Amino acid sequence: MIKRLFDIFFSLLFIALLSPLLIVIALMIKFNSEGEILFRQVRVGKGNRDFKILKFRTMYIGSEHKGQITIGGRDPRITKAGYALRKYKLDELPQFFNVLVGDMSLVGPRPEVRKYVALYNDAQKKVLTVKPGITDYASIKYSNENELLSHAANPEKTYVEEIMPEKLALNLKYIVEQSFATDLKIMWMTVKKIFS
């Protein structure tokens, strides 16, 4: 209950404080390329239930059908504005609305698409027992994930066999350590990472 109240209070606070920035980003996307401002993607949340995560659109329309892994600077599906939004994680800001309605938490395992959740083993499925979050240990460690994948001969294979298992191990570590203090620590680490 305390975590939910914390999520509601801070998501409302961030939405209010960031509203001028949200408007500027929305206009930038609208004038940079054709399509909707927001991108909605089905992800898997707590209890293995699907929900629609919100992001600012950073790709050209129809790009998701060409693959779900983005590969850094050489990915032609990303718009010019999209590169800047992704670099500073600004495309993730609409997820404060996901937190507000209860689909997500500020801190928790990043939600995956069903395609990759289907590959989880029984131990890894434990990440589905908690609400997914905007940030977590794995988001901080792999903040440059797109760049790492850009150097891989087979980005999909590298993600599934190397990066995803490590991210899930960090998610399981979070579940064991989960507390109000841990959430505050991860939020502070995230802020430091973004501004560094």
PDB file of all heavy atoms in Angstrom, residues 14 25 32 48 54-56 61 63 65 73 85 96 102 104 110 117 135 152 163 171 173 177 180 186-187:
ATOM      1  N   PHE A  14       5.694  14.183 -11.065  1.00  0.00           N
ATOM      2  CA  PHE A  14       6.541  14.226 -12.258  1.00  0.00           C
ATOM      3  C   PHE A  14       5.751  14.683 -13.486  1.00  0.00           C
ATOM      4  O   PHE A  14       6.259  15.449 -14.305  1.00  0.00           O
ATOM      5  CB  PHE A  14       7.171  12.858 -12.527  1.00  0.00           C
ATOM      6  CG  PHE A  14       8.238  12.482 -11.533  1.00  0.00           C
ATOM      7  CD1 PHE A  14       8.344  11.181 -11.069  1.00  0.00           C
ATOM      8  CD2 PHE A  14       9.137  13.425 -11.054  1.00  0.00           C
ATOM      9  CE1 PHE A  14       9.324  10.821 -10.153  1.00  0.00           C
ATOM     10  CE2 PHE A  14      10.122  13.084 -10.138  1.00  0.00           C
ATOM     11  CZ  PHE A  14      10.214  11.772  -9.685  1.00  0.00           C
ATOM     12  N   ILE A  25       8.128  17.863 -26.482  1.00  0.00           N
ATOM     13  CA  ILE A  25       8.481  16.592 -27.131  1.00  0.00           C
ATOM     14  C   ILE A  25       7.377  16.162 -28.090  1.00  0.00           C
ATOM     15  O   ILE A  25       7.656  15.718 -29.214  1.00  0.00           O
ATOM     16  CB  ILE A  25       8.743  15.498 -26.080  1.00  0.00           C
ATOM     17  CG1 ILE A  25      10.009  15.818 -25.281  1.00  0.00           C
ATOM     18  CG2 ILE A  25       8.874  14.124 -26.750  1.00  0.00           C
ATOM     19  CD1 ILE A  25      10.250  14.897 -24.099  1.00  0.00           C
ATOM     20  N   ASN A  32       8.314  16.140 -36.882  1.00  0.00           N
ATOM     21  CA  ASN A  32       9.489  15.433 -37.391  1.00  0.00           C
ATOM     22  C   ASN A  32       9.153  14.293 -38.338  1.00  0.00           C
ATOM     23  O   ASN A  32       9.910  14.012 -39.271  1.00  0.00           O
ATOM     24  CB  ASN A  32      10.326  14.902 -36.209  1.00  0.00           C
ATOM     25  CG  ASN A  32      11.595  14.236 -36.669  1.00  0.00           C
ATOM     26  OD1 ASN A  32      11.766  13.032 -36.510  1.00  0.00           O
ATOM     27  ND2 ASN A  32      12.503  14.996 -37.257  1.00  0.00           N
ATOM     28  N   ASN A  48       1.661 -12.221 -15.130  1.00  0.00           N
ATOM     29  CA  ASN A  48       1.730 -12.687 -16.524  1.00  0.00           C
ATOM     30  C   ASN A  48       0.608 -12.104 -17.382  1.00  0.00           C
ATOM     31  O   ASN A  48       0.182 -12.711 -18.361  1.00  0.00           O
ATOM     32  CB  ASN A  48       1.693 -14.226 -16.567  1.00  0.00           C
ATOM     33  CG  ASN A  48       2.343 -14.779 -17.827  1.00  0.00           C
ATOM     34  OD1 ASN A  48       3.119 -14.100 -18.494  1.00  0.00           O
ATOM     35  ND2 ASN A  48       2.019 -16.010 -18.165  1.00  0.00           N
ATOM     36  N   LEU A  54       3.227   2.810 -22.591  1.00  0.00           N
ATOM     37  CA  LEU A  54       3.234   4.044 -23.368  1.00  0.00           C
ATOM     38  C   LEU A  54       4.650   4.578 -23.521  1.00  0.00           C
ATOM     39  O   LEU A  54       5.420   4.594 -22.565  1.00  0.00           O
ATOM     40  CB  LEU A  54       2.375   5.111 -22.680  1.00  0.00           C
ATOM     41  CG  LEU A  54       0.891   4.805 -22.497  1.00  0.00           C
ATOM     42  CD1 LEU A  54       0.231   5.915 -21.692  1.00  0.00           C
ATOM     43  CD2 LEU A  54       0.207   4.649 -23.841  1.00  0.00           C
ATOM     44  N   LYS A  55       4.967   5.001 -24.724  1.00  0.00           N
ATOM     45  CA  LYS A  55       6.244   5.652 -24.995  1.00  0.00           C
ATOM     46  C   LYS A  55       6.005   6.751 -26.017  1.00  0.00           C
ATOM     47  O   LYS A  55       5.045   6.701 -26.783  1.00  0.00           O
ATOM     48  CB  LYS A  55       7.264   4.662 -25.583  1.00  0.00           C
ATOM     49  CG  LYS A  55       7.778   3.614 -24.645  1.00  0.00           C
ATOM     50  CD  LYS A  55       8.926   2.855 -25.303  1.00  0.00           C
ATOM     51  CE  LYS A  55       9.560   1.867 -24.361  1.00  0.00           C
ATOM     52  NZ  LYS A  55      10.809   1.297 -24.911  1.00  0.00           N
ATOM     53  N   PHE A  56       6.894   7.727 -26.053  1.00  0.00           N
ATOM     54  CA  PHE A  56       6.877   8.647 -27.178  1.00  0.00           C
ATOM     55  C   PHE A  56       7.402   7.878 -28.387  1.00  0.00           C
ATOM     56  O   PHE A  56       8.377   7.126 -28.277  1.00  0.00           O
ATOM     57  CB  PHE A  56       7.769   9.863 -26.911  1.00  0.00           C
ATOM     58  CG  PHE A  56       7.137  10.913 -26.046  1.00  0.00           C
ATOM     59  CD1 PHE A  56       7.735  11.324 -24.865  1.00  0.00           C
ATOM     60  CD2 PHE A  56       5.937  11.509 -26.424  1.00  0.00           C
ATOM     61  CE1 PHE A  56       7.147  12.295 -24.069  1.00  0.00           C
ATOM     62  CE2 PHE A  56       5.351  12.485 -25.644  1.00  0.00           C
ATOM     63  CZ  PHE A  56       5.952  12.873 -24.464  1.00  0.00           C
ATOM     64  N   ILE A  61       6.515   4.795 -38.738  1.00  0.00           N
ATOM     65  CA  ILE A  61       5.348   3.925 -38.665  1.00  0.00           C
ATOM     66  C   ILE A  61       5.637   2.574 -39.323  1.00  0.00           C
ATOM     67  O   ILE A  61       6.194   2.504 -40.412  1.00  0.00           O
ATOM     68  CB  ILE A  61       4.125   4.597 -39.336  1.00  0.00           C
ATOM     69  CG1 ILE A  61       3.750   5.882 -38.581  1.00  0.00           C
ATOM     70  CG2 ILE A  61       2.939   3.645 -39.382  1.00  0.00           C
ATOM     71  CD1 ILE A  61       3.394   5.672 -37.135  1.00  0.00           C
ATOM     72  N   SER A  63       7.616   0.216 -38.206  1.00  0.00           N
ATOM     73  CA  SER A  63       8.970  -0.290 -37.953  1.00  0.00           C
ATOM     74  C   SER A  63       8.997  -1.503 -37.034  1.00  0.00           C
ATOM     75  O   SER A  63       9.888  -2.341 -37.130  1.00  0.00           O
ATOM     76  CB  SER A  63       9.842   0.808 -37.353  1.00  0.00           C
ATOM     77  OG  SER A  63      10.057   1.839 -38.290  1.00  0.00           O
ATOM     78  N   HIS A  65       7.294  -4.084 -37.014  1.00  0.00           N
ATOM     79  CA  HIS A  65       7.134  -5.349 -37.743  1.00  0.00           C
ATOM     80  C   HIS A  65       8.444  -5.826 -38.364  1.00  0.00           C
ATOM     81  O   HIS A  65       8.543  -6.946 -38.846  1.00  0.00           O
ATOM     82  CB  HIS A  65       6.064  -5.201 -38.828  1.00  0.00           C
ATOM     83  CG  HIS A  65       4.732  -4.753 -38.290  1.00  0.00           C
ATOM     84  ND1 HIS A  65       4.024  -5.486 -37.368  1.00  0.00           N
ATOM     85  CD2 HIS A  65       3.996  -3.638 -38.522  1.00  0.00           C
ATOM     86  CE1 HIS A  65       2.904  -4.853 -37.059  1.00  0.00           C
ATOM     87  NE2 HIS A  65       2.865  -3.727 -37.746  1.00  0.00           N
ATOM     88  N   GLY A  73      23.209   3.201 -33.337  1.00  0.00           N
ATOM     89  CA  GLY A  73      23.292   4.237 -34.353  1.00  0.00           C
ATOM     90  C   GLY A  73      23.031   3.778 -35.764  1.00  0.00           C
ATOM     91  O   GLY A  73      22.818   4.592 -36.639  1.00  0.00           O
ATOM     92  N   LEU A  85      15.621  11.477 -28.267  1.00  0.00           N
ATOM     93  CA  LEU A  85      14.732  11.041 -27.194  1.00  0.00           C
ATOM     94  C   LEU A  85      15.251   9.776 -26.530  1.00  0.00           C
ATOM     95  O   LEU A  85      15.219   9.640 -25.302  1.00  0.00           O
ATOM     96  CB  LEU A  85      13.323  10.800 -27.746  1.00  0.00           C
ATOM     97  CG  LEU A  85      12.588  12.033 -28.269  1.00  0.00           C
ATOM     98  CD1 LEU A  85      11.239  11.648 -28.848  1.00  0.00           C
ATOM     99  CD2 LEU A  85      12.414  13.061 -27.152  1.00  0.00           C
ATOM    100  N   PHE A  96       4.927   7.385 -16.866  1.00  0.00           N
ATOM    101  CA  PHE A  96       4.400   7.877 -15.596  1.00  0.00           C
ATOM    102  C   PHE A  96       2.876   7.739 -15.569  1.00  0.00           C
ATOM    103  O   PHE A  96       2.282   7.586 -14.495  1.00  0.00           O
ATOM    104  CB  PHE A  96       4.809   9.339 -15.361  1.00  0.00           C
ATOM    105  CG  PHE A  96       6.250   9.499 -14.975  1.00  0.00           C
ATOM    106  CD1 PHE A  96       7.119  10.238 -15.774  1.00  0.00           C
ATOM    107  CD2 PHE A  96       6.757   8.909 -13.830  1.00  0.00           C
ATOM    108  CE1 PHE A  96       8.458  10.382 -15.427  1.00  0.00           C
ATOM    109  CE2 PHE A  96       8.089   9.050 -13.476  1.00  0.00           C
ATOM    110  CZ  PHE A  96       8.950   9.788 -14.273  1.00  0.00           C
ATOM    111  N   GLY A 102      -1.735   2.262 -12.483  1.00  0.00           N
ATOM    112  CA  GLY A 102      -1.487   1.024 -11.759  1.00  0.00           C
ATOM    113  C   GLY A 102      -0.920  -0.129 -12.553  1.00  0.00           C
ATOM    114  O   GLY A 102      -0.740  -1.228 -12.015  1.00  0.00           O
ATOM    115  N   MET A 104       2.084  -0.140 -13.843  1.00  0.00           N
ATOM    116  CA  MET A 104       3.506  -0.187 -13.536  1.00  0.00           C
ATOM    117  C   MET A 104       3.787   0.516 -12.213  1.00  0.00           C
ATOM    118  O   MET A 104       2.903   1.161 -11.646  1.00  0.00           O
ATOM    119  CB  MET A 104       4.316   0.492 -14.659  1.00  0.00           C
ATOM    120  CG  MET A 104       4.258  -0.208 -15.995  1.00  0.00           C
ATOM    121  SD  MET A 104       5.126   0.707 -17.315  1.00  0.00           S
ATOM    122  CE  MET A 104       6.828   0.619 -16.737  1.00  0.00           C
ATOM    123  N   ARG A 110      11.880  -4.173 -15.616  1.00  0.00           N
ATOM    124  CA  ARG A 110      11.357  -3.638 -16.867  1.00  0.00           C
ATOM    125  C   ARG A 110      10.519  -4.708 -17.563  1.00  0.00           C
ATOM    126  O   ARG A 110      10.939  -5.866 -17.685  1.00  0.00           O
ATOM    127  CB  ARG A 110      12.509  -3.207 -17.789  1.00  0.00           C
ATOM    128  CG  ARG A 110      13.196  -1.937 -17.364  1.00  0.00           C
ATOM    129  CD  ARG A 110      12.293  -0.731 -17.439  1.00  0.00           C
ATOM    130  NE  ARG A 110      11.887  -0.424 -18.804  1.00  0.00           N
ATOM    131  CZ  ARG A 110      10.890   0.389 -19.118  1.00  0.00           C
ATOM    132  NH1 ARG A 110      10.174   0.967 -18.181  1.00  0.00           N
ATOM    133  NH2 ARG A 110      10.601   0.625 -20.377  1.00  0.00           N
ATOM    134  N   VAL A 117       9.280 -13.222 -23.006  1.00  0.00           N
ATOM    135  CA  VAL A 117       8.776 -13.828 -21.778  1.00  0.00           C
ATOM    136  C   VAL A 117       8.552 -15.325 -21.975  1.00  0.00           C
ATOM    137  O   VAL A 117       8.750 -16.127 -21.060  1.00  0.00           O
ATOM    138  CB  VAL A 117       7.474 -13.135 -21.317  1.00  0.00           C
ATOM    139  CG1 VAL A 117       6.823 -13.888 -20.156  1.00  0.00           C
ATOM    140  CG2 VAL A 117       7.757 -11.694 -20.902  1.00  0.00           C
ATOM    141  N   THR A 135      12.171   1.912 -13.964  1.00  0.00           N
ATOM    142  CA  THR A 135      13.613   1.711 -13.833  1.00  0.00           C
ATOM    143  C   THR A 135      13.912   0.581 -12.866  1.00  0.00           C
ATOM    144  O   THR A 135      13.082   0.233 -12.018  1.00  0.00           O
ATOM    145  CB  THR A 135      14.319   3.010 -13.379  1.00  0.00           C
ATOM    146  OG1 THR A 135      15.736   2.807 -13.427  1.00  0.00           O
ATOM    147  CG2 THR A 135      13.918   3.398 -11.965  1.00  0.00           C
ATOM    148  N   ALA A 152      27.118  -6.363 -32.171  1.00  0.00           N
ATOM    149  CA  ALA A 152      26.921  -7.815 -32.221  1.00  0.00           C
ATOM    150  C   ALA A 152      26.673  -8.282 -33.647  1.00  0.00           C
ATOM    151  O   ALA A 152      25.955  -7.629 -34.413  1.00  0.00           O
ATOM    152  CB  ALA A 152      25.747  -8.210 -31.332  1.00  0.00           C
ATOM    153  N   ILE A 163      22.398 -10.888 -22.865  1.00  0.00           N
ATOM    154  CA  ILE A 163      21.886  -9.730 -22.123  1.00  0.00           C
ATOM    155  C   ILE A 163      20.640 -10.055 -21.305  1.00  0.00           C
ATOM    156  O   ILE A 163      20.564  -9.721 -20.118  1.00  0.00           O
ATOM    157  CB  ILE A 163      21.613  -8.549 -23.092  1.00  0.00           C
ATOM    158  CG1 ILE A 163      22.939  -8.076 -23.690  1.00  0.00           C
ATOM    159  CG2 ILE A 163      20.900  -7.417 -22.366  1.00  0.00           C
ATOM    160  CD1 ILE A 163      22.802  -6.956 -24.695  1.00  0.00           C
ATOM    161  N   ASN A 171      16.957  -8.517 -12.003  1.00  0.00           N
ATOM    162  CA  ASN A 171      15.551  -8.381 -11.599  1.00  0.00           C
ATOM    163  C   ASN A 171      15.263  -9.252 -10.375  1.00  0.00           C
ATOM    164  O   ASN A 171      14.567  -8.823  -9.445  1.00  0.00           O
ATOM    165  CB  ASN A 171      14.616  -8.810 -12.734  1.00  0.00           C
ATOM    166  CG  ASN A 171      14.646  -7.895 -13.941  1.00  0.00           C
ATOM    167  OD1 ASN A 171      14.296  -8.302 -15.039  1.00  0.00           O
ATOM    168  ND2 ASN A 171      15.071  -6.657 -13.748  1.00  0.00           N
ATOM    169  N   LYS A 173      17.445 -10.235  -8.200  1.00  0.00           N
ATOM    170  CA  LYS A 173      18.165  -9.605  -7.085  1.00  0.00           C
ATOM    171  C   LYS A 173      17.298  -8.501  -6.469  1.00  0.00           C
ATOM    172  O   LYS A 173      17.213  -8.369  -5.248  1.00  0.00           O
ATOM    173  CB  LYS A 173      19.490  -9.019  -7.610  1.00  0.00           C
ATOM    174  CG  LYS A 173      20.206  -8.021  -6.687  1.00  0.00           C
ATOM    175  CD  LYS A 173      21.454  -7.479  -7.386  1.00  0.00           C
ATOM    176  CE  LYS A 173      21.950  -6.179  -6.771  1.00  0.00           C
ATOM    177  NZ  LYS A 173      22.566  -6.369  -5.448  1.00  0.00           N
ATOM    178  N   GLU A 177      15.786  -8.043  -2.601  1.00  0.00           N
ATOM    179  CA  GLU A 177      16.157  -6.852  -1.820  1.00  0.00           C
ATOM    180  C   GLU A 177      15.017  -5.845  -1.675  1.00  0.00           C
ATOM    181  O   GLU A 177      15.181  -4.824  -1.000  1.00  0.00           O
ATOM    182  CB  GLU A 177      17.337  -6.138  -2.489  1.00  0.00           C
ATOM    183  CG  GLU A 177      18.609  -6.951  -2.549  1.00  0.00           C
ATOM    184  CD  GLU A 177      19.730  -6.190  -3.252  1.00  0.00           C
ATOM    185  OE1 GLU A 177      19.472  -5.072  -3.752  1.00  0.00           O
ATOM    186  OE2 GLU A 177      20.849  -6.717  -3.297  1.00  0.00           O
ATOM    187  N   PHE A 180      11.440  -0.066   0.478  1.00  0.00           N
ATOM    188  CA  PHE A 180      11.303   1.352   0.174  1.00  0.00           C
ATOM    189  C   PHE A 180      12.684   1.981  -0.017  1.00  0.00           C
ATOM    190  O   PHE A 180      12.896   2.789  -0.928  1.00  0.00           O
ATOM    191  CB  PHE A 180      10.543   2.037   1.307  1.00  0.00           C
ATOM    192  CG  PHE A 180      10.260   3.494   1.058  1.00  0.00           C
ATOM    193  CD1 PHE A 180       9.394   3.901   0.053  1.00  0.00           C
ATOM    194  CD2 PHE A 180      10.862   4.469   1.840  1.00  0.00           C
ATOM    195  CE1 PHE A 180       9.140   5.252  -0.179  1.00  0.00           C
ATOM    196  CE2 PHE A 180      10.607   5.819   1.624  1.00  0.00           C
ATOM    197  CZ  PHE A 180       9.741   6.200   0.619  1.00  0.00           C
ATOM    198  N   ILE A 186      17.585   2.996  -6.108  1.00  0.00           N
ATOM    199  CA  ILE A 186      17.556   2.772  -7.556  1.00  0.00           C
ATOM    200  C   ILE A 186      17.129   4.041  -8.293  1.00  0.00           C
ATOM    201  O   ILE A 186      17.683   4.371  -9.346  1.00  0.00           O
ATOM    202  CB  ILE A 186      16.622   1.592  -7.911  1.00  0.00           C
ATOM    203  CG1 ILE A 186      17.259   0.281  -7.417  1.00  0.00           C
ATOM    204  CG2 ILE A 186      16.350   1.527  -9.411  1.00  0.00           C
ATOM    205  CD1 ILE A 186      16.373  -0.937  -7.561  1.00  0.00           C
ATOM    206  N   MET A 187      16.173   4.769  -7.737  1.00  0.00           N
ATOM    207  CA  MET A 187      15.758   6.029  -8.368  1.00  0.00           C
ATOM    208  C   MET A 187      16.914   7.022  -8.393  1.00  0.00           C
ATOM    209  O   MET A 187      17.131   7.704  -9.402  1.00  0.00           O
ATOM    210  CB  MET A 187      14.543   6.612  -7.623  1.00  0.00           C
ATOM    211  CG  MET A 187      13.256   5.842  -7.863  1.00  0.00           C
ATOM    212  SD  MET A 187      11.862   6.461  -6.890  1.00  0.00           S
ATOM    213  CE  MET A 187      11.609   8.061  -7.633  1.00  0.00           C
TER     214      MET A 187
END
